[in-house]
Amino acid sequence: IRRGNRELMKYVTKNPCNCSWETMAKGTELIFERHVQAVRAQGYDISVAVGSRVLCELLGVEFSLTPLEMETVFWNAASAGAVMPGAGEMLVYLQQRGIRFAVISDLLWSGQALSARLQRLLPESRFEFALTSGDYFVRKPNRILFEIALRKANLSAGEVWFCGDNPQADVEGAAKAGMFPIWYDNDTERDITVSSDPPQCEHLHIREWGELINVLDRLP
């Protein structure tokens, strides 16, 4: 939060109360870590754009950036991101096989911001789209997000495999939506707030992306 606000304050154009980046950081913690988290606990999301608008108008601060630019500047400074081991190779394989792929993510950031990050980190990969809960207010395992993705892809649930690391939101959520679920159970970066209990549904369990390539290689 502090790194993100430090970078964002370089673009301030109006600041009548002379707010410092420290003040902005405290405000960010108040809005997002207190109020937005309370909403997330109920299975819904408030986008970064809405939360940032509340914060900026509360403090009277304005920036020379669009809402999307504010997201991107803050997010990249706060956490530059990295590619999980084997993910790039797996996506190249999917493209070579003609297998389409997209993203559904429980994320406060917009789908546009996520798409820009994916393009930066995985420039050779052609994601069809990226859906985030921040754009649609509902979080996985709510089947609404899965059904919107199916509509965008013009596919039935039975034609889709869904990969995710959250046993309940991703794997059980996809199964309830009629998709074939894959549990990506990797220790490289594990969210300690996510339950490690195995999904209570039929699924494919992999620990490395190379395992998915091996499974697909055995299919016609």
Side-chain angles (χ1 to χ4, degrees), residues 69-104:
E69 288 169 339
M70 287 182 65
E71 280 190 80
T72 304
V73 167
F74 183 99
W75 194 11
N76 287 345
S79 175
V83 178
M84 291 291 282
E89 293 81 357
M90 184 268 297
L91 294 173
V92 168
Y93 173 86
L94 295 181
Q95 288 176 178
Q96 291 173 342
R97 286 283 304 268
I99 299 172
R100 301 161 60 193
F101 52 91
V103 176
I104 307 174

Coordinates of all heavy atoms in Angstrom, one line a residue, residues 69-104:
E69 N -5.6 4.2 -15.3 CA -4.2 4.5 -15.1 C -3.8 4.5 -13.6 O -2.7 4.1 -13.3 CB -3.9 5.9 -15.8 CG -3.8 5.9 -17.3 CD -3.8 7.2 -17.9 OE1 -4.2 8.2 -17.2 OE2 -3.4 7.4 -19.1
M70 N -4.8 5.0 -12.8 CA -4.5 5.0 -11.4 C -4.4 3.6 -10.9 O -3.5 3.3 -10.1 CB -5.7 5.7 -10.6 CG -5.7 7.2 -10.8 SD -7.0 8.0 -9.9 CE -6.6 7.7 -8.2
E71 N -5.2 2.7 -11.3 CA -5.1 1.3 -11.0 C -3.8 0.7 -11.3 O -3.1 0.1 -10.5 CB -6.2 0.4 -11.7 CG -7.6 0.5 -11.2 CD -8.4 -0.6 -11.9 OE1 -8.3 -1.8 -11.5 OE2 -9.2 -0.2 -12.8
T72 N -3.3 1.0 -12.6 CA -2.1 0.4 -13.1 C -0.9 0.9 -12.4 O 0.0 0.2 -12.0 CB -2.0 0.6 -14.6 OG1 -3.2 0.1 -15.3 CG2 -0.8 0.0 -15.2
V73 N -0.8 2.2 -12.2 CA 0.3 2.9 -11.5 C 0.4 2.3 -10.1 O 1.5 1.9 -9.6 CB 0.1 4.4 -11.5 CG1 1.1 5.0 -10.5 CG2 0.4 4.9 -12.9
F74 N -0.7 2.3 -9.3 CA -0.7 1.8 -8.0 C -0.3 0.4 -7.9 O 0.6 0.0 -7.1 CB -2.1 2.1 -7.3 CG -2.1 1.7 -5.9 CD1 -2.0 2.6 -4.9 CD2 -2.3 0.4 -5.5 CE1 -2.0 2.3 -3.5 CE2 -2.3 0.0 -4.2 CZ -2.2 1.0 -3.2
W75 N -1.0 -0.5 -8.7 CA -0.8 -1.9 -8.6 C 0.7 -2.3 -9.0 O 1.3 -3.1 -8.3 CB -1.8 -2.6 -9.5 CG -1.9 -4.1 -9.3 CD1 -1.4 -4.8 -8.3 CD2 -2.6 -5.0 -10.2 NE1 -1.8 -6.1 -8.4 CE2 -2.5 -6.3 -9.6 CE3 -3.4 -4.8 -11.3 CZ2 -3.1 -7.4 -10.2 CZ3 -3.9 -6.0 -11.9 CH2 -3.8 -7.2 -11.3
N76 N 1.2 -1.7 -10.0 CA 2.5 -2.1 -10.4 C 3.6 -1.7 -9.4 O 4.6 -2.4 -9.2 CB 2.9 -1.4 -11.8 CG 2.2 -2.1 -12.9 OD1 1.6 -3.2 -12.8 ND2 2.1 -1.5 -14.1
A77 N 3.3 -0.5 -8.7 CA 4.3 -0.1 -7.7 C 4.1 -0.9 -6.4 O 5.1 -1.2 -5.8 CB 4.1 1.4 -7.4
A78 N 2.9 -1.3 -6.1 CA 2.7 -2.0 -4.9 C 3.2 -3.5 -5.0 O 3.7 -4.0 -4.1 CB 1.2 -2.0 -4.6
S79 N 3.0 -4.1 -6.2 CA 3.4 -5.4 -6.4 C 3.5 -5.6 -7.9 O 2.6 -5.7 -8.7 CB 2.3 -6.4 -5.9 OG 2.6 -7.7 -6.2
A80 N 4.8 -5.7 -8.4 CA 5.1 -5.8 -9.8 C 4.6 -7.1 -10.5 O 4.3 -7.1 -11.7 CB 6.6 -5.7 -10.1
G81 N 4.4 -8.1 -9.7 CA 3.9 -9.4 -10.2 C 5.0 -10.3 -10.8 O 6.1 -9.8 -11.1
A82 N 4.7 -11.6 -10.9 CA 5.7 -12.5 -11.5 C 4.9 -13.7 -12.1 O 3.7 -13.9 -11.7 CB 6.7 -13.0 -10.5
V83 N 5.5 -14.4 -13.0 CA 4.8 -15.6 -13.6 C 5.1 -16.8 -12.8 O 6.3 -17.1 -12.4 CB 5.3 -15.8 -15.0 CG1 4.7 -17.0 -15.7 CG2 5.0 -14.5 -15.8
M84 N 4.1 -17.6 -12.5 CA 4.3 -18.8 -11.7 C 5.1 -19.8 -12.6 O 5.0 -19.8 -13.8 CB 2.9 -19.5 -11.4 CG 2.1 -18.7 -10.4 SD 2.8 -18.8 -8.7 CE 2.3 -20.4 -8.2
P85 N 5.9 -20.7 -12.0 CA 6.8 -21.6 -12.7 C 6.0 -22.5 -13.7 O 5.0 -23.1 -13.3 CB 7.4 -22.5 -11.6 CG 7.3 -21.6 -10.4 CD 6.1 -20.8 -10.5
G86 N 6.4 -22.5 -14.9 CA 5.8 -23.3 -15.9 C 4.5 -22.8 -16.6 O 4.0 -23.3 -17.5
A87 N 4.0 -21.6 -16.1 CA 2.8 -21.1 -16.6 C 3.0 -20.6 -18.1 O 2.1 -20.9 -18.9 CB 2.3 -19.9 -15.8
G88 N 4.1 -20.0 -18.4 CA 4.4 -19.5 -19.7 C 4.4 -20.7 -20.7 O 3.8 -20.6 -21.8
E89 N 5.1 -21.7 -20.4 CA 5.2 -22.9 -21.2 C 3.9 -23.6 -21.4 O 3.6 -24.0 -22.5 CB 6.2 -23.9 -20.6 CG 7.7 -23.4 -20.6 CD 8.0 -22.5 -19.4 OE1 7.0 -22.2 -18.6 OE2 9.1 -22.1 -19.3
M90 N 3.1 -23.6 -20.4 CA 1.8 -24.2 -20.5 C 0.9 -23.5 -21.4 O 0.2 -24.0 -22.3 CB 1.1 -24.3 -19.1 CG -0.2 -25.0 -19.0 SD -1.6 -23.9 -19.2 CE -1.4 -22.8 -17.7
L91 N 0.9 -22.1 -21.4 CA 0.1 -21.3 -22.2 C 0.5 -21.4 -23.7 O -0.3 -21.4 -24.6 CB 0.1 -19.8 -21.8 CG -0.6 -19.6 -20.4 CD1 -0.3 -18.2 -20.0 CD2 -2.1 -19.9 -20.5
V92 N 1.8 -21.5 -23.9 CA 2.3 -21.7 -25.3 C 1.8 -23.0 -25.8 O 1.4 -23.1 -27.0 CB 3.9 -21.7 -25.3 CG1 4.4 -22.2 -26.6 CG2 4.4 -20.3 -25.0
Y93 N 1.8 -24.0 -25.0 CA 1.3 -25.4 -25.4 C -0.1 -25.3 -25.8 O -0.5 -25.8 -26.8 CB 1.5 -26.4 -24.2 CG 0.9 -27.7 -24.5 CD1 1.6 -28.7 -25.2 CD2 -0.4 -28.0 -24.1 CE1 1.0 -29.9 -25.4 CE2 -1.0 -29.2 -24.3 CZ -0.3 -30.2 -25.0 OH -0.9 -31.4 -25.2
L94 N -0.9 -24.6 -25.0 CA -2.4 -24.5 -25.3 C -2.6 -23.8 -26.6 O -3.4 -24.2 -27.4 CB -3.1 -23.7 -24.2 CG -3.1 -24.3 -22.8 CD1 -3.9 -23.4 -21.8 CD2 -3.8 -25.7 -22.8
Q95 N -1.8 -22.8 -26.9 CA -1.9 -22.1 -28.2 C -1.6 -23.0 -29.3 O -2.2 -23.0 -30.4 CB -1.1 -20.8 -28.2 CG -1.6 -19.7 -27.3 CD -0.8 -18.5 -27.2 OE1 -1.1 -17.5 -26.5 NE2 0.4 -18.4 -27.8
Q96 N -0.5 -23.7 -29.1 CA -0.1 -24.7 -30.2 C -1.1 -25.7 -30.5 O -1.3 -26.2 -31.6 CB 1.3 -25.3 -29.8 CG 2.4 -24.3 -29.8 CD 3.7 -25.0 -29.3 OE1 3.7 -26.0 -28.6 NE2 4.8 -24.3 -29.5
R97 N -1.8 -26.1 -29.4 CA -2.9 -27.1 -29.6 C -4.2 -26.5 -30.1 O -5.2 -27.2 -30.3 CB -3.1 -27.9 -28.3 CG -2.1 -28.9 -27.9 CD -2.2 -30.2 -28.7 NE -3.5 -30.8 -28.6 CZ -3.8 -31.7 -27.6 NH1 -2.9 -32.1 -26.7 NH2 -5.0 -32.2 -27.6
G98 N -4.3 -25.2 -30.1 CA -5.5 -24.5 -30.5 C -6.5 -24.5 -29.4 O -7.8 -24.4 -29.7
I99 N -6.1 -24.6 -28.2 CA -7.0 -24.6 -27.0 C -7.2 -23.2 -26.5 O -6.2 -22.5 -26.2 CB -6.5 -25.5 -25.9 CG1 -6.4 -26.9 -26.4 CG2 -7.4 -25.4 -24.7 CD1 -5.7 -27.9 -25.4
R100 N -8.4 -22.7 -26.5 CA -8.7 -21.3 -26.1 C -8.6 -21.2 -24.5 O -8.8 -22.1 -23.8 CB -10.1 -20.9 -26.5 CG -10.3 -21.0 -28.0 CD -11.8 -21.1 -28.4 NE -12.5 -19.9 -27.9 CZ -13.8 -19.8 -27.8 NH1 -14.6 -20.9 -28.2 NH2 -14.4 -18.7 -27.4
F101 N -8.2 -20.0 -24.1 CA -8.1 -19.8 -22.6 C -8.4 -18.3 -22.3 O -8.2 -17.4 -23.0 CB -6.8 -20.2 -22.1 CG -5.6 -19.6 -22.8 CD1 -5.0 -18.4 -22.4 CD2 -5.0 -20.3 -23.9 CE1 -3.9 -17.9 -23.0 CE2 -3.9 -19.7 -24.5 CZ -3.3 -18.5 -24.1
A102 N -9.0 -18.2 -21.1 CA -9.3 -16.9 -20.5 C -9.2 -16.9 -19.0 O -8.7 -18.0 -18.5 CB -10.7 -16.5 -20.9
V103 N -9.5 -15.9 -18.3 CA -9.3 -15.8 -16.9 C -10.6 -15.3 -16.2 O -11.3 -14.4 -16.6 CB -8.1 -14.8 -16.5 CG1 -8.0 -14.6 -15.0 CG2 -6.8 -15.2 -17.2
I104 N -10.9 -16.0 -15.0 CA -11.9 -15.5 -14.1 C -11.2 -15.3 -12.7 O -10.6 -16.3 -12.2 CB -13.1 -16.5 -13.9 CG1 -13.7 -16.8 -15.3 CG2 -14.1 -15.8 -13.0 CD1 -14.7 -17.9 -15.2

